[in-house]
Amino acid sequence: MDVTKQEMKKGKDAVVVSGARPTGDIHLGNYAGAVSNWISLQEEYTCFYFIADYHALTTSYQDTGGLRQKTLAVTADYLALGIDPERTTLFLQSSVPETAELSLLLSMLTPVSWLERNPSYKDLISQLSNLEIRTLGFLGYPCLMAADVLIYHADLVPVGEDQLPHLELAREIARRFNYYYGETFPEPQALLTRGRVLPGTDGRKMSKSYDNIIAFSDPPESVKKKVMNMITDPSRIRKTDPGHPEICSVFAMHKEFNTSGCPGIERLCRAGEIGCVDCKRDCAAKLLEFHAPVHEKRMDLLSRPGDLSDILEQGSKTARALARQTLAQAREAIQIGFTAHE
Ligand code: ADP
């Protein structure tokens, strides 16, 4: 394969690989910024989506008690939201241990300076100073990420602008491998995702770290309550004051979950013809039209944990068959070990 003259594959010929750590229940922000994109990509491409439990260990190795439960919970969320295991390979990263071996092989040729200059490494080290995070695993996670995508010969990796340096690192690692051992890995391309950032109930970015999320695990009553308590435009004192939807978190929810009603809400708000309480009530109702069936479905799926782990196991089997082939190619390229003659 001549990867230097790599042509961009299209449609179902193109492999998309993406993963997310099982750090907690999926919330509306995760849906708006990541999962909705996964769902639409599965229409067009051959997708491999994984639950990155090895990656979860990079920051949570001291407390792994809830890892299996969180893995099942996010699996239920993904399925309820529309990830379709009939069309997409949905699997568990640690059920494909070939990834770990490829990561080890890649780590042999990855200079530490590449890892240390990784911007999110520097950011997280300063943000998470309370955790003992200066581990080999955390420093080396870009190698694991490179293995995650290279092992499936990914053509496209959906990333936000902020994750571009990670993908660049994976491409550099692939290039270096190809340089030493011959053309083995195509360099994955970025599939830039539109940067919708959904604010949480307090107006900051919705994030588990801020305790401001609306999750699909929240029952409808709690969703309603959270929306009714959301912070709106602080300059609006009276109902008749003209509002500023562009700075209002409730309006951001309308934009995401009430697409058709959104222009009307914007007009009424700017004209001071709708009060924040009515606007929130409307928002909660529209949001629940989407949220409630997903909530119900994920609760039903979670009541059958055996079925969930079977789905993951099935996906992992498919992923593993491909991973085995790629690992054998990599071992052959390096000329490590002997091919087994059976
Ligand atoms: P959290 O901040 O809650 O820990 P994660 O870091 O686990 O979320 O994010 C998982 C994915 O969801 C990432 O791709 C991230 O970009 C996306 N995401 C998280 N929060 C938001 C948000 N508020 N708006 C848009 N996308 C988000």
Side-chain angles (χ1 to χ4, degrees):
M1 169 187 28
D2 185 353
V3 284
T4 53
K5 293 201 187 87
Q6 194 180 318
E7 271 186 26
M8 215 41 253
K9 291 192 195 145
K10 292 204 174 79
K12 291 284 176 191
D13 286 339
V15 172
V16 168
V17 178
S18 193
R21 302 188 310 155
T23 48
D25 297 341
I26 300 295
H27 56 72
L28 300 178
N30 299 142
Y31 170 75
V35 185
S36 59
N37 191 39
W38 279 16
I39 293 164
S40 46
L41 289 173
Q42 62 183 355
E43 304 287 333
E44 191 174 345
Y45 301 105
T46 297
C47 297
F48 287 77
Y49 296 144
F50 61 94
I51 293 162
D53 54 349
Y54 281 148
H55 281 288
L57 297 181
T58 55
T59 49
S60 319
Y61 65 92
Q62 288 155 318
D63 179 16
T64 54
L67 193 52
R68 287 189 176 137
Q69 191 46 42
K70 283 181 184 162
T71 297
L72 292 180
V74 297
T75 306
D77 282 327
Y78 288 152
L79 294 172
L81 280 163
I83 299 294
D84 177 1
E86 298 292 322
R87 282 190 294 174
T88 288
T89 307
L90 177 67
F91 67 101
L92 186 59
Q93 186 188 28
S94 69
S95 295
V96 186
E98 287 73 11
T99 316
E101 184 176 339
L102 183 60
S103 172
L104 175 85
L105 296 176
L106 299 177
S107 76
M108 300 298 169
L109 55 100
T110 304
V112 172
S113 58
W114 288 8
L115 302 170
E116 283 175 337
R117 73 166 194 232
N118 165 14
S120 72
Y121 175 73
K122 289 195 271 189
D123 281 0
L124 276 168
I125 284 283
S126 58
Q127 272 173 36
L128 302 175
S129 50
N130 55 333
L131 283 170
E132 195 40 78
I133 200 178
R134 288 175 186 274
T135 61
L136 184 57
F138 185 60
L139 176 67
Y141 85 84
C143 271
L144 182 56
M145 238 195 81
D148 286 327
V149 296
L150 298 180
I151 207 155
Y152 304 108
H153 288 296
D155 298 293
L156 296 166
V157 179
V159 283
E161 200 90 42
D162 55 327
Q163 295 157 321
L164 272 175
H166 288 142
L167 186 66
E168 198 42 48
L169 205 47
R171 288 161 55 85
E172 279 173 293
I173 294 172
R175 222 172 290 150
R176 198 164 161 98
F177 188 103
N178 292 341
Y179 172 75
Y180 286 124
Y181 308 119
E183 304 294 348
T184 307
F185 295 115
E187 285 176 36
Q189 314 281 322
L191 192 62
L192 264 182
T193 52
R194 60 196 174 119
R196 285 185 296 182
V197 172
L198 194 71
T201 50
D202 60 358
R204 292 183 292 174
K205 178 188 170 190
M206 188 177 286
S207 170
K208 287 180 286 280
S209 330
Y210 298 148
D211 197 18
N212 65 356
I213 65 167
I214 298 178
F216 292 98
S217 55
D218 286 330
E221 263 321 299
S222 142
V223 173
K224 203 167 162 195
K225 219 176 193 170
K226 285 184 177 182
V227 173
M228 295 313 287
N229 286 332
M230 275 176 79
I231 293 171
T232 54
D233 172 0
S235 67
R236 270 192 105 185
I237 314 289
R238 284 172 300 268
K239 195 174 162 175
T240 48
D241 291 342
H244 307 88
E246 64 281 2
I247 56 160
C248 175
S249 330
V250 176
F251 185 68
M253 289 279 178
H254 274 292
K255 257 168 102 176
E256 196 61 47
F257 299 102
N258 181 18
T259 342
S260 60
C262 193
I265 294 280
E266 178 168 9
R267 192 178 42 76
L268 292 173
C269 173
R270 287 196 195 283
E273 287 171 12
I274 182 172
C276 292
V277 173
D278 288 338
C279 177
K280 286 179 184 179
R281 206 172 284 135
D282 212 22
C283 178
K286 285 289 178 227
L287 171 57
L288 278 170
E289 280 178 23
F290 172 69
H291 179 286
V294 177
H295 170 75
E296 206 172 304
K297 190 156 183 209
R298 60 98 62 193
M299 296 312 283
D300 174 51
L301 286 162
L302 266 178
S303 70
R304 294 177 279 117
D307 290 357
L308 287 173
S309 55
D310 281 353
I311 289 173
L312 285 181
E313 199 182 323
Q314 211 46 48
S316 303
K317 238 187 220 167
T318 308
R320 200 166 182 199
L322 188 53
R324 277 205 180 109
Q325 284 177 19
T326 312
L327 182 64
Q329 286 164 3
R331 291 178 63 117
E332 187 57 34
I334 297 175
Q335 299 178 47
I336 191 169
F338 298 93
T339 310
H341 293 286
E342 286 164 13

